Amino acid sequence: GVTWRKDSLGNVRSSDGRHGSLRTDSLGTVRDSGTGVTWRKDSLGNVRSSDGTTYRQDSLGNVRASNSRSGLNVTWRKDSLGNLRASDGTLCRSDSLGTLSCDGGSTPPAVFKSE
């Protein structure tokens, strides 16, 4: 799987390089240097990415990722251990150093990685 780690500058870097690093600018926009995708929070607290994916967080803290273009429809939730679980079976664990490692087909939303 791919792992993400926050560096001393607060950027999030991926282990495979393909996902690049995530940087947050002064406007609160998160940019992935690897893919060029950007994420921005709207006034409702939803996160919209430039590739057409929308992330909505419900009152339980679950995040639903949907994209009408690609047909993506995955729900992410944090379990009692602080792991991220996706409805497609992907599991992401965070270790004591704050490194997030994922096994499965889905990538966790930038909202989790940049927290």
Side-chain angles (χ1 to χ4, degrees):
V2 181
T3 60
W4 285 270
R5 179 179 273 120
K6 202 174 252 196
D7 67 16
S8 56
L9 299 172
N11 299 323
V12 178
R13 297 186 181 282
S14 70
S15 60
D16 68 350
R18 187 168 58 89
H19 291 84
S21 59
L22 300 177
R23 287 186 176 81
T24 306
D25 66 17
S26 56
L27 299 171
T29 301
V30 178
R31 182 180 302 277
D32 185 331
S33 67
T35 60
V37 176
T38 59
W39 293 268
R40 183 188 293 273
K41 230 176 207 169
D42 66 16
S43 55
L44 300 170
N46 299 326
V47 174
R48 296 179 186 281
S49 91
S50 58
D51 69 359
T53 306
T54 302
Y55 302 98
R56 288 186 181 82
Q57 193 152 11
D58 66 18
S59 56
L60 300 171
N62 300 325
V63 174
R64 193 161 139 232
S66 56
N67 186 328
S68 54
R69 273 187 262 169
S70 66
L72 175 76
N73 193 357
V74 178
T75 302
W76 287 88
R77 64 183 179 81
K78 261 187 180 154
D79 66 17
S80 56
L81 300 171
N83 298 324
L84 299 174
R85 292 180 182 276
S87 55
D88 69 354
T90 303
L91 174 63
C92 297
R93 291 183 184 84
S94 214
D95 68 16
S96 57
L97 298 171
T99 300
L100 189 66
S101 60
C102 298
D103 299 309
S106 291
T107 305
V111 281
F112 287 132
K113 284 186 284 192
S114 57
E115 271 173 6

